[in-house]
Amino acid sequence: MRIDQMFRFPIKGLPGEPITSAPVEVGRGILGDRSVAFSNGTVEVADGEWNSCLSFTILKNNKSLQKWSVKSEPPFITVSAPREADGDALTFDSSHVDGRRELREYLSVHLPTQGPYRRDVISTPNGMFDSQLSGISIINPNTVRQLSKAGGIDLDPRRYRGNILVEGLPAFAEFGLIGKVLRIGGARIAITKSIERCSATSVNPETTEVDTNGPRLLATHFGHLHCGIYGTVLTSGPLDVGSGIEVEEMREEESHLVPAKRSPRFATVLSTTAHSPEIVELTLSDPFGWFSEHDEAGKYLRVHLPDPLWRNYTITSVNDGTVKIAIKVQGDVSRRLAKLQAGDELLVSGPYGTMTAPNVLRRRTALVTAGIGITPAIGLLRDPKAASLVEELRLLHVERGRPSQLSVQVRELSSLVDANAEYQRFDSSERRPTRHEIAGIVDGCDSIVICGPEGFTREVHDLCLEQGILPEKIHGETFVSPQTDLAKLFQGLPVASVRCQSSGTEFIWKPEDGVLLDSLEAEGLDAPSLCRAGSCGQCAVKLLKGSVTYPMEPSAAVPAGQILTCVSVPAENVELDL
């Protein structure tokens, strides 16, 4: 592995410049990288103090910035607005307050304010990075090529604004460098996390035009929003194009630099257990202990294969830094997972979802499941503390043929719960439960958990509403394959105005803007989100006026009066409590 290309971004949000050599220092990134940033007027900022990237003029919410020109010989930077003659370019000293004042005046002429506060050019000793911990971003072009192939679009790796493009690393292998140290000559760089991408990646660095929906492309084909890795300089030294890169183990005293995340990382297969020809359970571990930090039985883990392919699997147990996921062997992905052996590595992300035992088990609880949808029930009933609160447990499960090992486990677990338990199983090859039978199971319950295929969960959910059960008492998870052709879903939809009451932001939504979450982020709003696939419900916001439509049906329950922005688009003019 070696450095193939290097780039420096002297002014945050503006284009970078190719370089062949530059030093890196402890506590900083590449010399001259992100030296200054221009505030956008939404908040007050002070020179010398770090602020969130949302406080500054950045490519995410102003795509025209890619049309600017920037060159530098640190600390001197030359910047030119689009279509400006060379004589109108500004050269300033970024290390001096007078130079930063010159840049503020120059940028203010060309870039409109986004808020009521005085704008200024800000500099800190460590650089104006998106995180307070300064560092270096690294992109693997082979991963970008995989995304290009999957998405049917030629993506230039430069759109991910990396400081270093590497050569000699297989696609996705960069995620395996998290928690490692890269030695480049005398420099040592700790790889601390993967990089979550925003709508800035929608801009083509060559044409300077928006030619795709960057986040949606990643979410569709990779099942996550991450491209590239982030490093922190441990030992200063020079970097040069062509330099070799060696991988070292991180020292124990450096391990605190790697935070527990839900982002993509490689887990190790500890064991593969076949409960039947159709049901396999994988036990996974990771080197960081992230499973214990974030995972809970009842949530789901997302697995990512290099084709790229991805699927969600319910976590059935969490124990001593390991998790178990149950897999029904019925498709290409599940067959490949079933063949994994102890010691194999698997790229995973998550956990996602909120359907954990403390959230859904109540005094009188009904579990209504079908097929592989029974796996969440295993995780829920394995939580002894939450299960001890249940006084009446009703279970209804639908599957084809003889009882699966998973349904046997659920029945055994239900017998261990200190509650009045009722279990009904239906062999769908003989008959399915009637609406009357399902209604009898859910009637009078404080909580109803529904898991199974899309049609089944929708039918049971609608029946619960007809029975007068409040929406907040209904919890569901739909087992579906990911949508791979999202562009067609937005064609023909009318434009609509979107108003955000709390922030005062207003904008016009167009079909090419993608789902509401994409457009909200493009406007610089820090909208809540997690899975970005309609599965976890974390993106829910209150809908004050108007209505939305769901081109991609969410599997998470939608609370009354709220919408899931990650899978919805305006059906008319809307107002949000955001």
Side-chain angles (χ1 to χ4, degrees), residues 394 396 434-444 463 467 469:
R394 303 175 185 178
L396 184 151
T434 65
R435 290 175 61 84
H436 178 74
E437 287 170 321
I438 296 175
I441 287 289
V442 303
D443 181 50
L463 186 149
Q467 294 292 111
I469 298 171

Side-chain angles (χ1 to χ4, degrees), residues 398-401 425-432:
V398 183
E399 63 183 338
R400 178 177 292 276
R425 177 187 174 276
F426 292 83
D427 180 353
S428 60
S429 64
E430 296 179 356
R431 79 174 184 91
R432 295 177 178 274

Side-chain angles (χ1 to χ4, degrees), residues 34-326:
R34 275 84 173 184
S35 291
V36 294
F38 183 48
S39 65
N40 57 23
T42 58
V43 297
E44 289 186 291
V45 297
D47 196 16
E49 296 181 7
W50 182 88
N51 269 275
S52 162
C53 65
L54 297 178
S55 305
F56 298 101
T57 300
I58 53 176
L59 191 59
K60 175 180 178 178
N61 49 37
N62 187 341
K63 305 299 190 295
S64 71
L65 296 180
Q66 189 62 42
K67 300 180 182 296
W68 287 60
S69 174
V70 183
K71 298 179 180 179
S72 71
E73 293 183 8
F76 294 98
I77 301 173
T78 299
V79 58
S80 179
R83 297 179 295 276
E84 288 285 319
D86 291 340
D88 293 329
L90 171 70
T91 299
F92 67 98
D93 184 350
S94 63
S95 66
H96 197 279
V97 64
D98 290 340
R100 296 194 291 274
R101 183 168 56 249
E102 289 178 315
L103 179 62
R104 178 180 66 81
E105 294 172 356
Y106 183 82
L107 296 179
S108 297
V109 172
H110 299 280
L111 298 173
T113 185
Q114 296 173 264
Y117 296 95
R118 179 183 182 274
R119 292 184 292 170
D120 210 343
V121 171
I122 305 301
S123 174
T124 67
N126 295 338
M128 297 302 300
F129 298 91
D130 283 354
S131 64
Q132 284 186 278
L133 188 65
S134 60
I136 295 173
S137 56
I138 300 172
I139 301 299
N140 181 4
N142 283 328
T143 298
V144 179
R145 292 187 185 101
Q146 280 289 78
L147 182 58
S148 297
K149 181 179 178 181
I153 179 174
D154 186 16
L155 300 170
D156 189 324
R158 291 180 299 162
R159 77 168 65 217
Y160 299 99
R161 298 173 66 82
N163 295 122
I164 295 174
L165 304 188
V166 297
E167 183 181 87
L169 194 63
F172 309 107
E174 64 271 25
F175 297 125
L177 297 177
I178 297 170
K180 305 290 186 181
V181 173
L182 304 186
R183 181 178 287 278
I184 309 173
R188 294 178 68 247
I189 301 171
I191 304 304
T192 59
K193 59 184 178 181
S194 59
I195 306 174
E196 184 173 353
R197 293 301 176 177
C198 66
S199 61
T201 58
S202 303
V203 183
N204 186 322
E206 187 66 32
T207 67
T208 72
E209 301 297 332
V210 175
D211 60 3
T212 188
N213 185 321
R216 182 56 57 186
L217 195 67
L218 283 167
T220 299
H221 299 290
F222 285 0
H224 57 75
L225 294 178
H226 295 253
C227 185
I229 49 179
Y230 201 67
T232 297
V233 179
L234 301 175
T235 306
S236 303
L239 301 183
D240 298 283
V241 169
S243 294
I245 303 174
E246 298 179 3
V247 181
E248 301 179 347
E249 294 299 320
M250 186 174 285
R251 299 167 187 168
E252 185 175 352
E253 63 270 21
E254 299 162 345
S255 61
H256 70 280
L257 295 170
V258 184
K261 306 283 284 186
R262 293 182 173 89
S263 49
R265 72 274 192 188
F266 281 97
T268 302
V269 177
L270 297 182
S271 64
T272 303
T273 304
H275 293 293
S276 71
E278 290 187 342
I279 304 296
V280 172
E281 195 169 42
L282 292 184
T283 303
L284 305 173
S285 179
D286 74 76
F288 312 114
W290 289 359
F291 287 150
S292 297
E293 185 79 16
H294 287 301
D295 288 17
E296 295 179 67
K299 293 186 177 183
Y300 61 89
L301 203 64
R302 188 167 291 170
V303 302
H304 311 269
L305 299 179
D307 298 62
L309 289 171
W310 60 272
R311 295 291 187 274
N312 299 325
Y313 293 95
T314 300
I315 298 169
T316 55
S317 73
V318 181
N319 185 37
D320 294 331
T322 66
V323 298
K324 293 180 184 292
I325 57 174

